[in-house]
Amino acid sequence: EPAPEPVAEVAPAAGAIEVMDLASVPEPFPEDRSTAQAARVAPSPTPTPTPTLDIEPIAEDVEPEGVLVLPDMDEDLIEIFVEEGNDILDKADALVARLREAPTDHEAITGLQRHLHTLKGNARAVGLAGIGDLSHAVESLLEAVVGDRMDMNRASVDALERAFDRLHRMVGRVARRQAVGTPQHMIARFEALV
């Protein structure tokens, strides 16, 4: 039978892991045996989850019950408001989605400002103070971002998404001629962010 070829010894590379033969590891002292056995049997600790940025929940703003009653309520103007409001909010949703991907997208931020300014003015013109006030609070956050008084971050994008969801629901209530209140807690959230 031919002799095996000699194997060249290779020095371990820097940072390489050296494999040990477990048979060469000495047994623990008798008093350490229970600790060593417990370490082999004990489950490995669960890794600590990476902390995430959570938005503290805010108190729910409950809408009033009943029908929509506005001073000098003009059905034609209300209908125009609902149609334009839905169009504005649909366009705003696309811009908020862009901000979710790129929070510093200046074009998206200024587009949202324009849409909110229009929604706020239209709401106040027909007497829908709650929609006007929430639109104003969101617009103020965007003005702070444009004015470099704050950065758009995950918390502010999340707040924007919640506010636009709320504005959609409020405009939907107007379309069904249901009463609409002023979302004080949500407005306070935006004032705190600015």
Side-chain angles (χ1 to χ4, degrees), residues 155-173:
S156 48
V157 172
D158 184 67
L160 284 174
E161 288 177 333
R162 292 178 189 205
F164 281 103
D165 288 347
R166 181 56 181 249
L167 287 166
H168 272 288
R169 288 194 309 271
M170 293 172 83
V171 171
R173 289 180 65 85

Side-chain angles (χ1 to χ4, degrees), residues 48-125:
T48 306
T50 306
T52 58
L53 176 65
D54 290 326
I55 306 302
E56 287 188 33
I58 57 173
E60 183 64 29
D61 289 303
V62 180
E63 290 290 356
E65 293 187 22
V67 297
L68 180 66
V69 177
L70 300 171
D72 303 321
M73 192 160 132
D74 181 330
E75 282 297 320
D76 292 333
L77 285 179
I78 295 294
E79 204 51 48
I80 292 169
F81 169 79
V82 168
E83 186 178 317
E84 288 182 2
N86 283 324
D87 185 49
I88 288 169
L89 292 172
D90 289 343
K91 290 175 184 174
D93 287 343
L95 295 173
V96 172
R98 282 175 47 187
L99 285 179
R100 172 63 69 190
E101 299 302 316
T104 58
D105 183 339
H106 184 74
E107 186 180 307
I109 293 168
T110 57
L112 283 172
Q113 273 185 291
R114 273 192 314 278
H115 291 314
L116 283 164
H117 187 76
T118 303
L119 183 64
K120 174 183 72 176
N122 290 353
R124 289 182 172 165

